[in-house]
Amino acid sequence: MSAIATAAALSLPISLCRSSRFSTKKGVRGGFGVFALFGEEGSLVDKKSAWGALFDVEDPRSKAPQLKGKFLDVNQALEVARFDIQYLDWRARQDLLTIMLLHEKVVEVLNPLAREYKSIGTMKKELAELQAELAQAHREVHISEARVSTALDKLAYMETLVNDRLLQDRSTTESDNPSPSASISTQSLVDIKINLPRKGLNVSGPVQPYHPSLKNFWYPVAFSTDLKDDTMIPIDCFEEPWVVFRGKDGKPGCVQNTCAHRACPLHLGSVNEGRIQCPYHGWEYSTDGKCEKMPSTRLRNAKIKALPCFEQEGMIWIWPGNDPPTATIPSLQPPPGFIIHAEIVMELPVEHGLLLDNLLDLAHAPFTHTSTFAKGWSVPSLVKFLTPSSGLQGYWDPYPIDMEFRPPCIVLSTIGISKPGKLEGQSTKQCSTHLHQLHVCLPSSRQKTRLLYRMSLDFAPVLKHIPFMQYLWRHFAEQVLNEDLRLVLGQQDRMINGANIWNLPVSYDKLGVRYRLWRDAVDRGAKQLPFGKSP
Ligand code: FES
Ligand SMILES: [Fe+2]
């Protein structure tokens, strides 16, 4: 959110300030729109008279908070807002005093004794002037009232934001996660305004370029079984083309999918003895991107970009970020007792965030998946997602399904299967058999996602040995996905054209909203991410 938009969101009513009378001093710690309204010249203190206590209010301007630097913390912001209210209150009293003094003058002019000494013409002129002054004073009183009222509303709003943030902090702490920074910056207050479900999460318009922070994670990009010694896997990641292949030692490498010579896509070539060969003039590259062969010409020093790339537990991982990669690659293995039955990769024409939103939502199942896994499901009177252990991990009620969002783009779920078609009322623990799912939504581009899906079961191991079972699983997975896809594509269309896809979240949207809170923090480049560790 820009500083201007922030100011508009939280500023006191600056539009009511007139430059001739009110100097508006922005509460300079950028991004936070508390405007100090003090600084008006002149006062009517001297004119205070017999009306007494009503106007006997100290001029607060000498106590104006001294604002230096760029960002206000929440306490400073509240102090400024409170000061503004004090000032506006004092200002309103001054305006009222003006009116009363003017009334006094009117009475004086109309006084029979005074009339004796003045001509009718003089009196008329004086009266007209006084009436004009009086009307002006009345207008100012109304404006003062409106300003005080708006300032009070803003103060109440800010206090709500602070309370919400404190509640959020507390729930995060309770779930054994590192809590967000103890000092609440005004910037994060603004972000809370954007992010809190009931206060308007805004995900609308074309997807913005990805923040570099989102790249500083390990991303699974392929299943090991799909990468043979002589095959290549072209992938798009964050709008750049890469190609994965195995080197001489069998270890995978990920290099730029563009030849250094004349930019031919390398994946159109082949892999020979651990080098990828460009199909145009035959230049060959090793997994670190070094060109090792240039047929028909003298070998020169040429290199293409290569990313850190490792293989772990049946998956190929890359680190697309500029920061040094973290030392450990996360484990995405199914729990003990499960056997992997299917590994499926799909390229989908949707932005990965939309797909994650969809995967993290189960409440849509009885409406969307009526031809597949949710066929015959009744619609519960209440669906909830409970997060007892972590902000991004929990279970669905009344469905026997555990679910987790694993940053940066992974969804893990375990589904209890006791009586197909009748899932209600049981937790996963109560079910004797389970299906475990892994969904990786790799951000290929702002319109495309590479989906890696892995399905494991803790029963019927024999299924693994049935010929062509892989094809059947793929068919099932595609059927389910197609039920979602037409809806998500529609959402994407609406979103690009300005609709907010998180316009009105409700309680069962909790996990999706939390993903968006996390994503917003990454997109802002926040050092401390909600619900988890810093990247
Ligand atoms: S473009 Fe690749 S070798 Fe010429
Ligand atoms: Fe779905």
Side-chain angles (χ1 to χ4, degrees), residues 258-266 277-285 293 295:
T258 307
C259 182
H261 181 213
R262 284 169 58 190
C264 179
L266 293 173
Q277 185 185 54
C278 177
Y280 215 169
H281 309 90
W283 291 19
E284 291 187 18
Y285 302 88
K293 280 195 177 179

Side-chain angles (χ1 to χ4, degrees), residues 13 36 41 72 121 139 197 227 278 348 357 370 417 438 463 498 508 525:
E41 296 306 321
L72 292 178
R139 270 195 299 276
L227 189 64
C278 177
L348 304 172
D357 289 343
T370 47
I417 309 173
L438 161 72
L463 287 176
Y508 56 64

Side-chain angles (χ1 to χ4, degrees), residues 285-342:
Y285 302 88
S286 52
T287 49
D288 62 0
K290 193 172 183 321
C291 184
E292 294 186 337
K293 280 195 177 179
M294 283 182 193
S296 318
T297 186
R298 184 172 57 85
L299 181 66
R300 294 169 51 176
N301 211 5
K303 204 167 189 290
I304 50 176
K305 276 198 284 182
L307 293 178
C309 178
F310 288 93
E311 189 165 22
Q312 177 182 284
E313 296 173 346
M315 300 184 96
I316 316 284
W317 298 71
I318 62 168
W319 179 276
N322 289 326
D323 287 359
T326 54
T328 7
I329 296 176
S331 175
L332 296 180
Q333 285 285 80
F338 281 80
I339 291 176
I340 296 169
H341 283 258

Side-chain angles (χ1 to χ4, degrees), residues 70 101 168 188 229 248 263 274 293 377 409 456 479:
K70 211 175 173 190
L101 290 171
Q168 198 185 28
S188 38
D229 281 347
K248 256 188 198 146
K293 280 195 177 179
W377 283 20
C409 63
S456 316
Q479 261 194 320

Side-chain angles (χ1 to χ4, degrees), residues 12-13 22 37 60 83-93 143-145 147-152:
L12 295 177
F22 298 101
L37 297 178
F83 172 78
D84 282 345
I85 287 167
Q86 255 182 12
Y87 169 73
L88 288 169
D89 175 66
W90 173 81
R91 179 69 258 153
R93 288 169 200 264
I143 291 171
S144 288
E145 280 170 1
R147 294 171 70 200
V148 170
S149 156
T150 314
L152 282 170

Side-chain angles (χ1 to χ4, degrees), residues 149-430:
S149 156
T150 314
L152 282 170
D153 286 350
K154 296 287 176 191
L155 185 64
Y157 178 57
M158 285 169 63
E159 282 172 348
T160 315
L161 289 180
V162 173
N163 288 340
D164 285 345
R165 178 56 184 253
L166 290 174
L167 277 176
Q168 198 185 28
D169 281 358
R170 196 184 307 160
S171 71
T172 312
T173 310
E174 278 168 6
S175 61
D176 291 325
N177 271 305
S179 62
S181 168
S183 78
I184 304 160
S185 75
T186 50
Q187 181 63 47
S188 38
L189 282 175
V190 174
D191 294 330
I192 288 167
K193 178 175 180 283
I194 302 165
N195 294 333
L196 281 176
R198 285 182 186 78
K199 297 215 168 61
L201 191 62
N202 192 355
V203 184
S204 60
V207 181
Q208 297 304 303
Y210 292 110
H211 193 280
S213 300
L214 192 58
K215 301 181 183 179
N216 288 320
F217 287 91
W218 283 109
Y219 283 85
V221 294
F223 292 110
S224 297
T225 47
D226 292 335
L227 189 64
K228 316 285 183 234
D229 281 347
D230 57 351
T231 58
M232 294 161 282
I233 301 179
I235 55 158
D236 285 339
C237 185
F238 291 110
E239 318 206 61
E240 282 190 80
W242 302 94
V243 59
V244 180
F245 66 101
R246 290 192 189 277
K248 256 188 198 146
D249 53 4
K251 290 183 182 162
C254 179
V255 300
Q256 185 190 323
N257 191 4
T258 307
C259 182
H261 181 213
R262 284 169 58 190
C264 179
L266 293 173
H267 78 277
L268 300 175
S270 57
V271 176
N272 303 314
E273 296 172 355
R275 287 189 297 271
I276 190 165
Q277 185 185 54
C278 177
Y280 215 169
H281 309 90
W283 291 19
E284 291 187 18
Y285 302 88
S286 52
T287 49
D288 62 0
K290 193 172 183 321
C291 184
E292 294 186 337
K293 280 195 177 179
M294 283 182 193
S296 318
T297 186
R298 184 172 57 85
L299 181 66
R300 294 169 51 176
N301 211 5
K303 204 167 189 290
I304 50 176
K305 276 198 284 182
L307 293 178
C309 178
F310 288 93
E311 189 165 22
Q312 177 182 284
E313 296 173 346
M315 300 184 96
I316 316 284
W317 298 71
I318 62 168
W319 179 276
N322 289 326
D323 287 359
T326 54
T328 7
I329 296 176
S331 175
L332 296 180
Q333 285 285 80
F338 281 80
I339 291 176
I340 296 169
H341 283 258
E343 290 181 334
I344 294 161
V345 180
M346 291 182 229
E347 302 284 347
L348 304 172
V350 287
E351 200 274 333
H352 82 289
L354 281 159
L355 200 58
L356 284 167
D357 289 343
N358 173 266
L359 292 167
L360 294 170
D361 166 27
L362 197 67
H364 74 273
F367 299 96
T368 306
H369 297 293
T370 47
S371 301
T372 56
F373 71 92
K375 193 174 184 172
W377 283 20
S378 58
V379 178
S381 56
L382 188 65
V383 175
K384 286 181 285 184
F385 184 74
L386 302 148
T387 48
S389 57
S390 146
L392 297 172
Q393 186 176 16
Y395 60 88
W396 288 93
D397 177 23
Y399 301 118
I401 298 178
D402 298 346
M403 194 173 271
E404 177 187 356
F405 167 67
R406 180 85 60 87
C409 63
I410 296 159
V411 180
L412 296 156
S413 53
T414 305
I415 302 162
I417 309 173
S418 55
K419 289 179 189 168
K422 287 193 176 178
L423 291 169
E424 290 93 336
Q426 286 192 318
S427 72
T428 45
K429 283 195 180 70
Q430 288 173 300

Side-chain angles (χ1 to χ4, degrees), residues 455-525:
M455 192 274 285
S456 316
L457 300 171
D458 64 355
F459 64 99
V462 68
L463 287 176
K464 193 170 168 83
H465 306 291
I466 296 178
F468 307 114
M469 200 60 201
Q470 269 280 342
Y471 297 103
L472 207 56
W473 289 130
R474 187 176 183 97
H475 174 71
F476 290 152
E478 278 177 351
Q479 261 194 320
V480 172
L481 200 69
N482 284 336
E483 285 177 322
D484 287 316
L485 209 52
R486 66 190 187 98
L487 310 181
V488 177
L489 280 168
Q491 272 187 304
Q492 181 166 254
D493 173 71
R494 302 292 185 273
M495 177 186 82
I496 289 170
N497 287 301
N500 180 6
I501 56 161
W502 277 108
N503 189 46
L504 196 57
V506 294
S507 58
Y508 56 64
D509 292 317
K510 188 200 267 181
L511 192 53
V513 166
R514 289 186 173 196
Y515 158 63
R516 286 294 175 177
L517 292 173
W518 177 88
R519 171 91 179 261
D520 278 352
V522 176
D523 286 346
R524 287 196 314 273

